[in-house]
Amino acid sequence: MKDLISISDLTVQAIADIFKIADHIKEHIKPLKEKTIVMFFPESSIRTRVTFEKGIHQLGAQGILFPSSTLDKKEAVQDVAGYLDNWSDAVIVRHKDIEKIQDFALYSKNPVINAMTSHNHPCEILSDLYSLSKIRRDYLNDQYLFVGASGNIGESWKVASKLLGFDLVQCCPPGYEIDGITVINDIEEAICGKDIILTDSIPAKDQDNFKSYQINKRLMHLANDNAHLNPCPPFTRGLEVSADVISSDYFVGYPFKENLLIVQQAIILYLMGF
């Protein structure tokens, strides 16, 4: 395969290969020396951009950064991709419009990696799954609960669950359902028997509807023993999660996201044939 636009672009074996590369990432000593990777990121990006930039540097490649808005000018993406093929060896794009990234992948001769769209967020979810595999022996047999509205995070978890075969249930108020998965509207019913609790940021316009869906320590006590809370950043204490649950052992913590660096490096190396 050449590109990563969605987790559905991968096979189960491809994900296993990426995780294997991630396991041995420190053995790769600047394998991308004299390679150039072009990135398109908005100014608001923090974790994804930092880890991609640092990862590219550690692999020995040169990273060249543009704002995502560069792709919104009148020049066709086909022409941007055609010119960049002369000088770049891979392209990483974070842009709200997935069609722009799909067009880039269609016309680029080099790998194109989706760093996030309003439709999906494949690298983030692959990193979370890799991190879970390190702390949960049977992470694909765990029961997953996504608390939040249909959007890029929930959709990516759905695709991953369908591909890898783990059980995923959504909990949300009526009207926010993800098509194709089981939905339970009552949070106390939904969280019972779950091992991995996932959340997403709640848009300001929807916050009133999600007030009773905040994950706190009381609710986590209803989940299975040794359950973990993995809120997708940026999260807001007092909104989708309580302050006390973030300070508890349920929260997988900031080091959990450390693997975003090596998984993204592994994705780059995998797509570039290393």
Side-chain angles (χ1 to χ4, degrees), residues 35-94:
K35 300 291 186 181
T36 299
I37 298 177
V38 173
M39 296 172 284
F40 295 88
F41 274 92
E43 292 181 356
S44 59
S45 179
I46 299 175
R47 286 157 290 270
T48 309
R49 175 179 164 182
V50 167
T51 47
F52 264 122
E53 283 201 60
K54 181 173 182 176
I56 289 167
H57 175 75
Q58 288 182 339
L59 293 174
Q62 176 189 19
I64 300 176
L65 179 68
F66 293 94
S68 298
S69 57
T70 306
L71 297 178
D72 295 329
K73 61 183 183 179
K74 63 181 181 179
E75 184 180 17
V77 169
Q78 176 180 358
D79 297 320
V80 176
Y83 284 117
L84 286 181
D85 277 341
N86 292 316
W87 314 298
S88 67
D89 299 284
V91 177
I92 299 168
V93 186
R94 177 165 173 164

Side-chain angles (χ1 to χ4, degrees), residues 16-28 130 133-134 259 262-263 266:
D17 291 343
I18 289 170
F19 286 5
K20 184 177 181 180
I21 294 172
D23 283 340
H24 301 286
I25 202 76
K26 292 181 180 179
E27 299 174 11
H28 293 276
Y130 177 79
S133 76
K134 299 305 176 186
N259 289 323
I262 61 173
V263 170

Side-chain angles (χ1 to χ4, degrees), residues 186-223:
D186 183 87
I187 184 63
E188 293 192 6
E189 177 187 352
I191 204 168
C192 288
K194 300 303 187 294
D195 301 292
I196 310 298
I197 314 303
L198 313 162
T199 70
D200 190 14
S201 299
I202 301 171
K205 63 182 178 62
D206 300 317
Q207 289 175 6
D208 286 344
N209 295 334
F210 275 88
K211 282 183 177 179
S212 61
Y213 291 82
Q214 181 190 98
I215 302 300
N216 52 42
K217 287 180 68 174
R218 181 187 67 82
L219 285 172
M220 289 299 300
H221 288 327
L222 300 178

Side-chain angles (χ1 to χ4, degrees), residues 231-246:
C232 182
F235 57 80
T236 304
R237 291 175 175 84
L239 192 55
E240 67 266 33
V241 291
S242 65
D244 67 335
V245 81
I246 294 299

Side-chain angles (χ1 to χ4, degrees), residues 6 58 66 71 97-98 163 166 171 178 191 193 202 237 247 263:
S6 169
Q58 288 182 339
F66 293 94
L71 297 178
D97 186 356
I98 192 171
L163 178 62
F166 61 85
C171 183
I178 299 170
I191 204 168
I202 301 171
R237 291 175 175 84
S247 300
V263 170

Side-chain angles (χ1 to χ4, degrees), residues 128-193:
D128 284 352
L129 287 167
Y130 177 79
S131 295
L132 286 167
S133 76
K134 299 305 176 186
I135 62 175
R136 309 281 300 192
R137 178 179 299 178
D138 297 318
Y139 76 106
L140 294 181
N141 291 322
D142 282 333
Q143 300 294 306
Y144 289 69
L145 174 67
F146 173 74
V147 183
S150 175
N152 59 353
I153 300 301
E155 287 290 339
S156 293
W157 277 111
K158 181 188 79 170
V159 172
S161 72
K162 299 293 186 185
L163 178 62
L164 295 173
F166 61 85
D167 187 77
L168 174 69
V169 171
Q170 181 191 13
C171 183
C172 64
Y176 295 91
E177 296 88 351
I178 299 170
D179 290 337
I181 64 173
T182 299
V183 178
I184 300 174
N185 298 128
D186 183 87
I187 184 63
E188 293 192 6
E189 177 187 352
I191 204 168
C192 288

